């Protein structure tokens, strides 16, 4: 899968957030995933327009004031803003995205929200631009399925997490209740379909990377095709 098609699609989303891409976006999407009203009130409406969340990683565990949080595949920065609210003024929030227009949009959105503890890097999540053991928590929302090497992504997350650090991510996975769908569907990688794995395959990859307490915390209503569903996972570095 070329990063080119991914960048084309997500450049379009960064520039045209109200366009119909065939999957849910925007404020109603955030509400459908249970994003809290207090976050919705604290973050400008303009920013919620870009919400392409496929689940709610903030429901998967506790976040603490003063911690450092990394969002991989941060898109336009909605989850960066939520993370900034949770980490508070003494915390640090980092974002990584491969699409230059998304990096620019997330920096603009962080400024618009007045959140000065957010730093965004343009990079692949398969090669994170952070040193070893520097973040307490890694989050992600709808991005890991887009990476060619999930092994590289989980190994990089493990490397940058501090000891005892946590990973909470939402992503599209194969819908095993509807196995026939994938044989006939026109599968797109950039639209979060062709790069998806089964939940057991993701848990095995997390375990191979060294994570413990790996589990799927929920599945949800989100669809990118008949053969996929949204799900959320949690894991911990020893
Ligand atoms: C479906 S969007 C989700 C954006 C955001 N997390 C949200 O919830 O709104 C997926 C994002 O992952 C980014 N992405 C895809 N592949 C990537 C990679 N290999 N490295 C870094 N970012 C990537 C895309 O540029 C896009 O912004």
């Amino acid at each position: 899968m070329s990063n080119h098609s991914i960048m084309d699609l997500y450049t379009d989303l960064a520039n045209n957030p109200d366009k119909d891409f065939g999957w849910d976006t925007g404020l109603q999407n955030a509400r459908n995933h249970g994003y809290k009203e207090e976050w919705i009130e604290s973050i400008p409406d303009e920013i919620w327009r870009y919400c392409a969340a496929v689940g709610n990683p903030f429901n998967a565990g506790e976040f603490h004031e003063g911690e450092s949080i990394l969002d991989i595949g941060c898109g336009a920065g909605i989850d960066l803003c939520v993370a900034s609210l949770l980490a508070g003024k003494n915390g640090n929030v980092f974002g990584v995205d491969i699409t230059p227009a998304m990096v620019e949009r997330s920096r603009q959105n962080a400024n618009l929200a007045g959140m000065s503890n957010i730093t965004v890097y343009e990079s692949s999540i398969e090669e994170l631009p952070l040193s070893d053991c520097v973040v307490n928590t890694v989050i992600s929302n709808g991005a890991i399925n887009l990476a060619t090497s999930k092994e590289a992504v989980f190994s990089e997350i493990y490397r940058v997490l501090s000891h005892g650090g946590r990973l909470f991510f939402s992503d599209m996975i194969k819908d095993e209740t509807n196995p026939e769908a994938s044989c006939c569907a026109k599968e797109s990688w950039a639209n979060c379909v062709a790069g998806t794995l089964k939940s057991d395959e993701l848990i095995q990859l997390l375990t191979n990377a060294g994570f413990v307490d790996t589990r799927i915390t929920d599945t949800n209503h989100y669809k990118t095709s008949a053969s996929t569903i949204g799900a959320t996972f949690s894991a911990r570095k020893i």
Side-chain angles (χ1 to χ4, degrees), residues 55-57 60 168-171 215-220 230-234:
N56 184 345
F168 304 124
F169 71 96
S170 297
D171 206 357
R215 64 191 183 97
I216 180 166
T217 61
D218 69 43
T219 54
N220 65 55
T232 300
F233 294 81
S234 73

Side-chain angles (χ1 to χ4, degrees), residues 177-189:
T177 65
N178 194 8
E180 297 84 32
S182 58
C183 78
C184 317
K186 193 172 146 246
E187 294 210 332
S188 154
W189 191 291

Side-chain angles (χ1 to χ4, degrees), residues 134-175:
V134 289
V135 291
N136 305 114
T137 302
V138 172
I139 57 170
S140 186
N141 206 332
I144 293 172
N145 78 87
L146 295 168
T148 316
S149 170
K150 277 71 166 168
E151 289 87 349
V153 174
F154 290 139
S155 149
E156 279 293 87
I157 296 172
Y158 199 84
R159 181 183 66 74
V160 302
L161 270 176
S162 56
H163 299 290
R166 290 108 23 94
L167 166 64
F168 304 124
F169 71 96
S170 297
D171 206 357
M172 299 312 296
I173 60 168
K174 293 242 178 301
D175 182 356

Side-chain angles (χ1 to χ4, degrees), residues 6 10 50-53 73-75 78 97-99 102 123-126 141-143 146:
I6 290 176
Y10 293 105
Y50 298 88
C51 177
C74 63
I78 298 86
D97 204 281
I98 203 168
T99 305
M102 278 301 195
S123 173
S124 169
I125 59 176
E126 294 175 49
N141 206 332
L146 295 168

Side-chain angles (χ1 to χ4, degrees), residues 4-61:
H4 210 77
S5 337
I6 290 176
M7 285 197 249
D8 283 350
L9 176 62
Y10 293 105
T11 298
D12 200 7
L13 177 61
N15 294 326
N16 304 293
D18 302 327
K19 182 171 161 180
D20 182 2
F21 289 89
W23 20 267
D24 295 346
T25 55
L27 177 57
Q28 192 54 50
N29 182 37
R31 285 206 161 104
N32 292 344
H33 287 305
Y35 278 60
K36 292 186 180 168
E37 283 305 313
E38 65 195 73
W39 305 338
I40 290 171
E41 279 161 26
S42 304
I43 297 168
D45 286 352
E46 164 68 15
I47 297 175
W48 292 103
R49 290 168 65 210
Y50 298 88
C51 177
V54 307
N56 184 345
F58 299 104
N59 267 351

